[in-house]
Amino acid sequence: MKRKVLVVVAVISALVLTGCSQVNTAGRVGKKEITNKEVQTTINQILQERRKFDTTQSNLPTGAQLNLSAFQFHFYSALFDAIAAGAKLQVTDGDIAKERAAILAQVGGEDRLPAALAKASISFEDFPRYLRSVVIVARIKEALAAAGDTSTDGSGLQKVIIAAGQREGVEVNPRYGKWNATSGSLEAPTENPAIAQLK
């Protein structure tokens, strides 16, 4: 019993003393808050949709990996939205419809889309937002190319992400990992040493 109490205290201390100041906050990009509820809803939807299809041959993220993947989706979507707003990049309904049509052609039609999304760990409800992010990334790359960027390794996009993180200010709940301001990437969470010692 004493051990369980210590574990709970350690978990609460980790949440209070590090990362986001609000317990229900998963992260923040500028003024955009990402809540734990949003991330958990995405996780629940992904798991529910996986049950409809045979995914036994797919190496899909679970547990902590799925938590990180779901948070990354919301985090980078918010970051790309901030980049688009700052650069006045236009994303129309037509752009999103065109990208959706391209993906449908790739997966083999509308009836195969749900299974494809389940295997890609993308919630069907989050699919429109995913499409928007894909279009924004394409717009960023076009703008970089027009400005003379000839990189083919993604370094140009990485610089934009790093600059956006610095400009907007980002915050990540340690439950979902840590923002690396140098590489512009989210790193997997590390276990609290106090909790590890109690196992």
Side-chain angles (χ1 to χ4, degrees):
M1 182 66 181
K2 182 178 179 181
R3 180 184 175 190
K4 290 183 179 179
V5 171
L6 289 173
V7 170
V8 172
V9 170
V11 171
I12 293 175
S13 297
L15 290 173
V16 173
L17 297 177
T18 62
C20 297
S21 56
Q22 299 296 324
V23 176
N24 67 335
T25 300
R28 193 181 301 276
V29 176
K31 295 181 179 180
K32 168 62 178 176
E33 178 187 8
I34 303 165
T35 66
N36 287 320
K37 183 178 180 180
E38 286 179 291
V39 178
Q40 190 59 52
T41 296
T42 288
I43 293 170
N44 292 344
Q45 290 169 347
I46 289 172
L47 293 176
Q48 183 178 6
E49 288 159 16
R50 282 181 186 177
R51 298 188 190 103
K52 301 175 185 177
F53 308 100
D54 180 12
T55 58
T56 54
Q57 302 301 315
S58 303
N59 185 22
L60 302 180
T62 58
Q65 285 185 326
L66 182 56
N67 286 345
L68 178 60
S69 176
F71 174 72
Q72 284 179 329
F73 170 79
H74 287 278
F75 180 87
Y76 282 110
S77 291
L79 191 60
F80 289 140
D81 280 345
I83 293 171
K88 293 182 172 57
L89 299 176
Q90 298 297 318
V91 178
T92 67
D93 291 342
D95 294 329
I96 293 175
K98 183 177 179 180
E99 185 61 39
R100 191 179 196 278
I103 290 178
L104 288 179
Q106 183 180 358
V107 302
E110 188 79 41
D111 59 332
R112 296 188 178 183
L113 179 62
L117 293 179
K119 291 179 180 180
S121 294
I122 299 173
S123 161
F124 193 83
E125 286 77 4
D126 288 334
F127 187 44
R129 191 172 181 186
Y130 167 82
L131 292 172
R132 175 177 170 80
S133 293
V134 170
V135 172
I136 291 173
V137 169
R139 290 285 184 276
I140 294 171
K141 290 181 177 179
E142 289 171 3
L144 288 171
D149 177 48
T150 58
S151 63
T152 57
D153 58 357
S155 58
L157 177 61
Q158 182 183 27
K159 290 176 182 177
V160 173
I161 291 173
I162 291 171
Q166 293 173 343
R167 181 180 65 253
E168 299 294 327
V170 300
E171 192 175 357
V172 178
N173 188 318
R175 171 183 177 184
Y176 300 104
K178 179 182 179 182
W179 173 249
N180 187 321
T182 302
S183 64
S185 61
L186 284 168
E187 298 176 347
T190 55
E191 187 173 38
N192 187 300
I195 298 176
Q197 291 176 3
L198 292 171
K199 287 184 176 180

